[in-house]
Amino acid sequence: MPASDHRPAAQIPGGAVFPHRHLTGIAGLKPHQILFLLDEAEQWVDANRAHAKPDKRLAGLTQINAFFENSTRTLLSFEIAGKRLGADVVNMHAAQSSVKKGETLIDTAVTLNAMRADVIVIRHGSSGAVQLIATKVDCPVLNAGDGWHEHPTQALLDALTIRRRRGSIAGQRVVICGDILHSRVARSNMLALTALAAEVRVCGPATLMPAAIERMGVTPFADFDTALDGADVVMMLRLQNERMSGAFIPSTREYHLRYGLTDERLARAKPDALVMHPGPMNRGVEITSSVADHPERSAITEQVEMGVAVRMACLDVLTRRARGVEGWA
Amino acid sequence: MKRFFANSRLLSGADSLSIDGDTIVADVQDDAEVIDCAKLARNGGILAPGIIDLGVFAVDRKACRAGGITRVGLMPDQSPVLDDPGIVRRAALMGKPDLWVHPLAAATQGLAGADLAEMAINAAAGARAVATGRRWISDSGVMRKVLAYARDCGLTVIAHAEDSGLTANAVATEGETAMRLGLAAAPSIAEALAIARDVALAEETGARLHFRQVTTAAGFDLIRRAKARGLPVTCGITPAHLLLSDIDILDFRTFAHLSPPLRAESDRQAALAALADGTIDVLASGHDPRGPEEKRLPFADSEPGMSGTETLFALGMTLVHNGTIDLPRLFELLARNPARILGVDAGALEPGLAADIVLIDPDAPWQISGAEMHARAGNTPFDGMPVQGKVIKLWKGGREIA
C-alpha cells in the first residue's frame, strides 16, 4: 500500500473518513480508516484507565450481541464496551445447531431487525455469515468472528497494542505462528498489518498453512526459529483441541517441540520483542508460562484491555450516523 | 404427419428438412405440410437437432422447453435413488411426450459406493447408462467391479471425478480466493487423481467411461492422453467452468457454489483449449434448481448446484460468438455426442433419426435473469449476463411443443 494512503484522521471531515455502514472485516478498509479507528480507541484506553466519569453517548440505543458460537471473552468485551458507553446491551446465545439449517439464520436476522436493534454484534461459525446477515438488517453490524474468515476487532486491538508498545506499526517485523489455515484472527491480522506496512511473517506446519498464503503479502515459514530471526512482535495463535491429535499435527508435544514459544526460542527475536496471544492460551502447547507471563515482553493482558477500547470505538463510530453526530448524518 | 421445413439453414449447409411422423426422412414428400421458417425466425433462423442434456438432477419440463432441450439424461441422485427398475421406469416416463427422460441408473445400490446395483434389470427398464452420482466411488475394488460389470451389460459408466479423501468437506478450490474468504478448500489435483485411477481401471476392464465434468488442466491432459491411446473415454463440462472462475465466489455468492467447485483462471483457460481441440465431448447444464432455503445460507452451509437448462444454449452460443468453437461443433457437444453416449437415435438432423428439431436465432440478444426463469428455481451464477442466441421453436418427435 503506498504511503500516500496514510492520512491523519484529523484532516478528513466527519463521516467521510469512515464511510462504512458495517464492520464485517478488515478487507474493505483503507489504511487511513484502520488508523482512524485506532486513533478513536486511544481516548477510551485513557478513560477506562482513569475510571473516568461515564460517557453515555450510546444511551437509549439497543446493542444486541448475537453469538451463534461459544465465546466468553469476546462476548464479555463487547458487553462491557457497550455498557461503558451507556447502551442497553442484550446478549443472545443461539445454539449453533438450531441455526444451521434452512432459512433460520436469515429469519433470526429479520427478527433482530424487527426488534429495532441499533447495532448488532455477531459471531458465527460459518465464513460469510455476518455479511449475509448485514444485507438483511437496517442497523450497523459488527463482525465478532465468522468462521475462518475475519475477526476485525481482534486485528484492531492487536494493531493498537503494537502501536502503543512499539511506537509504530510500519516496518515492524511481526511473526504470526500457529494454525493459520483455520484462523480468522490470522486473516484479519494479515490484512491489517500489511495495510499498515508491517513486515508480516506467518509460520506453522504445512498441514495448517493455507494455499496461496503469499498472496496476502506475507512470507510463509515452516521453521519457527528462522521466522523468529529479528522479530519485533511474536503473535501466537491458539491451537484448537480438535486439531491436536492426529488430524493436522501428530501430537501436542510434537507441536510444542516445533512451534512452542519458549524462552530459548524467544531469544532469537529482538531483545525487546513483544509477545502476543489472542487467548485463551494452551499453556505448555503453543506457549510456555514463563513467556506468557513475562512482565516486560508479554502484552497478552494488554491486548484484552485494548479490546474493550477498540470495541468502544467501533460501536461509537458505527452508530454516529444514526445518532446524527455532526458531520456524520 | 409429414412436414417440410423450408427457407431455413441447417448445420450441414442444406436449406430444408423433411420429416415423416417422428422421424427425419431424406426425400421431400408431395403431401407434406410446409413450415416456412422465414416467417418464424429472422432470416429463417437455423434448424438444429434438439439439445440432449446429459446429466441433470431434476426433470424441469418448462425450463427444458425454454432451452431447446428435447432429451435429458437424468442423474440417479433422486429421492428415491434410481437403483430399482420400478423407479427407473417411472423416471423414464416422467417427461413424455414433450421431454424424453433417459434415466442414468445408480452404479451402486443407493449410490453408497459399496454394492453393485442391478444394471441389466435397470437397463431393461429404460436406463441408458449407469452413473456414480454426485460422488466418486472411493473404493477402487468397487469401481473396478462397476466398470467390469457395466462393460458386460454394454453400458457406459458416467463418473464423478473428485478424490473424496482430498475433497472431504471442501466447498471451494484451493487458492487465493478460498484462502481470503476462509472457506474449506481442496486442491485441484483431487480431480486428476480420480481421473487417473478411473482411466486405469477402465483400460484394464475395457469399459466405456464418461466423466460428467472435467474442469482442470491436469484432468484434461489425462483425458487427452487416454483418447490418444484409443481408450473409450469421454468427458463433459458445464458452461460455468468455461465462463467463470473461482473469483466469482467472492462475496460468498452461493449461486456460484458448484460441484466440482469453480477453478482457477488457468484451469478455465485449459477448459477453453480442451473445448476447442476436441478433448471435451459434451456440454451439459448440470441442471440443479435450488431454492432460497438451500442457497440463502452462509456459503459453506449452502448446497452446490446451478439452474442451467434454459441458459445452456445461449451460453454455448457465447463460446461460438467469441470464436472458441463454431456452430456445428457446438451441436456436436450439445446433441450428437450425448446421443452417442446414451445410445439413442437422435442428436443430428439426418434421415432415420428422431425428428427432434430446434429452430434457433443465433444472434438474438437477451439478458439472463434468474427472477424470470422458467425453471423451478433461478439459481444461476449468470444472472444479469447479456447473451446472444434464442430458441424460437421446438419440435419433439415431429410435434411442435414450443
Side-chain angles (χ1 to χ4, degrees):
Chain A
M1 201 59 72
S4 59
D5 271 18
H6 296 255
R7 282 195 289 169
Q11 290 180 9
I12 302 160
V17 63
F18 198 82
H20 306 282
R21 205 156 83 88
H22 310 290
L23 182 64
T24 54
I26 300 293
L29 303 184
K30 296 257 189 291
H32 72 266
Q33 294 164 348
I34 299 173
L35 290 174
F36 170 73
L37 291 174
L38 300 187
D39 292 347
E40 285 286 327
E42 293 280 6
Q43 59 178 308
W44 302 117
V45 179
D46 298 338
N48 289 340
R49 282 189 181 171
H51 298 282
K53 185 171 159 286
D55 180 329
K56 300 289 182 192
R57 60 179 68 187
L58 298 195
L61 300 192
T62 305
Q63 171 190 340
I64 300 182
N65 298 330
F67 276 54
F68 298 93
E69 196 183 66
N70 287 333
S71 157
T72 311
R73 47 179 70 210
T74 305
L75 176 60
L76 202 56
S77 184
F78 269 108
E79 185 171 359
I80 290 170
K83 284 183 170 163
R84 292 244 166 101
L85 293 174
D88 297 317
V89 184
V90 185
N91 293 333
M92 193 192 89
H93 308 266
Q96 180 75 356
S97 56
S98 68
V99 226
K100 246 196 147 165
K101 295 237 166 76
E103 276 269 41
T104 325
L105 182 60
I106 299 269
D107 286 345
T108 310
V110 170
T111 305
L112 296 179
N113 197 47
M115 292 176 180
R116 301 276 172 228
D118 296 295
V119 58
I120 303 178
V121 179
I122 298 164
R123 167 168 288 193
H124 195 282
S126 288
S127 302
V130 176
Q131 235 159 286
L132 182 65
I133 293 174
T135 62
K136 301 291 167 192
V137 298
D138 300 316
C139 69
V141 167
L142 235 156
N143 184 359
D146 63 324
W148 311 344
H149 179 224
E150 283 235 41
H151 191 355
T153 56
Q154 179 72 42
L156 292 170
L157 75 88
D158 287 337
L160 184 61
T161 307
I162 294 172
R163 193 172 76 169
R164 287 174 62 98
R165 288 286 287 262
R166 306 288 305 173
S168 83
I169 294 164
Q172 298 287 305
R173 179 174 289 175
V174 183
V175 180
I176 305 175
C177 178
D179 180 358
I180 311 287
L181 176 64
H182 302 101
S183 177
R184 54 193 172 214
V185 174
R187 278 180 183 74
S188 286
N189 261 311
M190 286 188 279
L191 290 166
L193 294 171
T194 54
L196 300 178
E199 181 207 335
V200 180
R201 297 176 160 189
V202 292
C203 180
T207 47
L208 292 172
M209 190 66 79
I213 186 75
E214 66 288 347
R215 302 286 300 164
M216 299 291 282
V218 303
T219 317
F221 287 81
D223 181 55
F224 195 20
D225 291 330
T226 314
L228 280 171
D229 183 48
D232 295 283
V233 178
V234 187
M235 197 181 278
M236 301 305 295
L237 298 174
R238 177 181 164 75
L239 188 66
Q240 300 290 336
N241 293 328
E242 64 268 27
R243 310 205 170 102
M244 283 183 185
S245 52
F248 292 90
I249 53 160
S251 68
T252 50
R253 61 181 189 182
E254 174 140 337
Y255 185 79
H256 182 73
L257 175 74
R258 295 186 68 201
Y259 299 103
L261 187 60
T262 58
D263 290 301
E264 303 81 67
R265 276 231 167 85
L266 187 56
R268 295 177 171 270
K270 283 193 181 156
D272 58 346
L274 206 59
V275 175
M276 300 173 70
H277 192 297
M281 288 180 278
N282 298 302
R283 288 171 182 266
V285 181
E286 69 258 10
I287 192 164
T288 57
S289 284
S290 61
V291 173
D293 303 331
H294 195 290
E296 287 99 42
R297 314 283 290 275
S298 171
I300 295 170
T301 50
E302 197 174 329
Q303 286 175 273
V304 179
E305 184 190 2
M306 295 305 122
V308 176
V310 154
R311 285 162 187 137
M312 287 171 82
C314 292
L315 290 167
D316 170 29
V317 168
L318 287 177
T319 55
R320 282 185 190 175
R321 257 172 218 93
R323 288 185 285 125
V325 173
E326 201 187 334
W328 289 75
Chain B
M1 177 74 123
K2 292 170 183 169
R3 287 203 169 97
F4 178 70
F5 296 82
N7 298 323
S8 187
R9 218 154 38 90
L10 271 63
L11 300 171
S12 62
D15 62 1
S16 63
L17 177 71
S18 293
I19 65 170
D20 186 353
D22 60 5
T23 310
I24 296 166
V25 292
D27 307 317
V28 182
Q29 302 179 35
D30 297 337
D31 51 349
E33 175 201 2
V34 175
I35 296 172
D36 184 357
C37 296
K39 287 183 181 163
L40 298 172
R42 208 160 43 91
N43 301 327
I46 293 174
L47 287 170
I51 293 167
I52 303 173
D53 194 357
L54 183 56
V56 298
F57 290 91
V59 177
D60 209 333
R61 289 161 66 177
K62 275 166 112 177
C64 286
R65 210 154 52 211
I69 293 165
T70 48
R71 295 164 188 256
V72 295
L74 180 65
M75 290 296 283
D77 312 68
Q78 308 294 316
S79 180
V81 170
L82 303 186
D83 65 354
D84 175 272
I87 301 162
V88 169
R89 191 170 289 117
R90 179 176 160 273
L93 295 172
M94 267 166 91
K96 287 193 175 175
D98 298 4
L99 176 68
W100 281 21
V101 176
H102 300 299
L104 311 173
T108 57
Q109 291 175 32
L111 287 174
D115 300 310
L116 292 179
E118 295 169 322
M119 296 187 196
I121 290 178
N122 287 331
R128 305 299 313 198
V130 293
T132 67
R134 293 183 191 275
R135 287 181 300 169
W136 192 58
I137 293 178
S138 58
D139 187 321
S140 304
V142 173
M143 187 59 177
R144 184 165 177 264
K145 285 177 209 146
V146 163
L147 287 162
Y149 197 86
R151 175 206 60 208
D152 287 351
C153 297
L155 293 167
T156 298
V157 175
I158 298 179
H160 181 85
E162 277 186 298
D163 185 310
S164 47
L166 284 174
T167 52
N169 300 315
V171 294
T173 305
E174 256 185 23
E176 182 177 358
T177 304
M179 184 266 299
R180 283 183 184 274
L181 294 178
L183 294 173
S188 62
I189 54 155
E191 180 175 283
L193 279 178
I195 292 174
R197 185 203 72 173
D198 288 354
V199 166
L201 291 172
E203 180 168 20
E204 192 228 10
T205 56
R208 286 200 310 269
L209 180 60
H210 174 72
F211 294 101
R212 192 171 66 85
Q213 297 183 82
V214 176
T215 59
T216 63
F220 294 121
D221 284 344
L222 289 168
I223 301 288
R224 216 172 263 129
R225 270 184 265 158
K227 287 186 167 185
R229 290 214 311 281
L231 300 178
V233 171
T234 53
C235 75
I237 195 167
T238 72
H241 286 95
L242 289 163
L243 299 170
L244 305 174
S245 63
D246 64 353
I247 56 168
D248 288 284
I249 66 171
L250 277 175
D251 270 337
F252 300 100
R253 281 181 68 208
T254 57
F255 282 8
H257 179 191
L258 306 173
S259 170
L262 289 172
R263 305 298 192 184
E265 176 63 15
S266 55
D267 284 322
R268 185 182 85 89
Q269 295 296 335
L272 292 172
L275 196 73
D277 73 12
T279 303
I280 296 174
D281 304 276
V282 173
L283 182 64
S285 75
H287 189 62
D288 199 358
R290 301 275 186 181
E293 65 283 355
E294 291 173 303
K295 282 291 191 185
R296 248 170 55 181
L297 293 169
F299 193 90
D301 303 334
S302 68
E303 292 292 334
M306 64 173 274
S307 180
T309 46
E310 59 206 281
T311 55
L312 177 62
F313 165 65
L315 293 170
M317 282 307 300
T318 299
L319 298 162
V320 174
H321 287 302
N322 72 18
T324 309
I325 51 173
D326 61 19
L327 195 59
R329 167 86 173 125
L330 176 63
F331 276 90
E332 277 179 25
L333 293 158
L334 290 174
R336 187 187 287 271
N337 293 341
R340 278 190 186 143
I341 290 165
L342 291 169
V344 293
D345 294 329
L349 299 185
E350 290 167 7
L353 298 182
D356 298 351
I357 302 159
V358 60
L359 178 65
I360 56 172
D361 179 338
D363 300 317
W366 58 290
Q367 192 172 16
I368 294 173
S369 162
E372 288 167 25
M373 277 193 167
H374 298 82
R376 263 183 250 157
N379 52 308
T380 172
F382 296 102
D383 195 27
M385 180 170 160
V387 287
Q388 276 182 282
K390 262 186 184 167
V391 173
I392 307 294
K393 285 274 175 199
L394 188 62
W395 292 266
K396 173 76 195 86
R399 206 173 58 84
E400 182 179 327
I401 56 169

